[in-house]
Amino acid sequence: MATSRMTLRVPAPMSQWWSSKSHGERRILAGLALVVAAALAWWAVWQPLNRDIAAMRAANTRGGVALAEARRMTDEIASLSRMAALGGDTDPRADLERVLAQQNLRAALTQQDWKDGRARLVFGAVAYDLLVASLEALQQETRLRVVEATLTARVEPGTVRAELVLAR
């Protein structure tokens, strides 16, 4: 059985130069070559790997935030579709009156008109944060949304005069 042995051929000048060195010099050169190889590996492999790990961690964090927002939106869409299926034939006027009473806005309402399926509401003086919360409740509970709005600041801090047009 013939065994083939692979040999590495070093150019003659290099071989002569290596053989001319003492055992201690060879060990120093081998150690220096090892240090250079380690520095090249660190520069070419380790640094990019660490940069990529940091970038992936940041992307993972952004992805988690986006996923949480998407889940919140799908839950909201599902609740709105369930609400539409349950209360699609209800009277918008009765729904509006109910929500205004729940939000304690009935007293602040100075004018209310219905035309072409749209409600025009005028609040003479209403707290801005209460108005925003009420509009959100209207949207979620009755599917009435603001299609036009004019808000005018009043002298009292935090209050506005609001002219709103709501529609489904």
Side-chain angles (χ1 to χ4, degrees), residues 118-121 145-151 163-167:
R118 293 180 172 210
R120 183 174 183 278
L121 308 174
R145 290 177 173 73
V146 176
V147 292
E148 281 183 45
T150 303
L151 301 176
E163 297 176 22
L164 307 170
V165 177
L166 305 173

Side-chain angles (χ1 to χ4, degrees), residues 65-124:
V65 169
L67 180 62
E69 178 66 14
R71 285 181 177 158
R72 185 196 62 78
M73 291 172 81
T74 56
D75 290 343
E76 183 178 344
I77 289 169
S79 70
L80 288 174
S81 66
R82 279 192 304 271
M83 209 179 313
L86 293 175
D89 296 332
T90 61
D91 181 27
R93 294 174 192 216
D95 289 341
L96 176 64
E97 291 295 328
R98 179 180 48 81
V99 171
L100 287 176
Q102 285 175 349
Q103 298 291 323
N104 296 326
L105 278 179
R106 191 71 187 111
L109 185 64
T110 57
Q111 183 180 355
Q112 177 181 357
D113 297 325
W114 283 90
K115 184 178 180 183
D116 299 328
R118 293 180 172 210
R120 183 174 183 278
L121 308 174
V122 178
F123 295 96

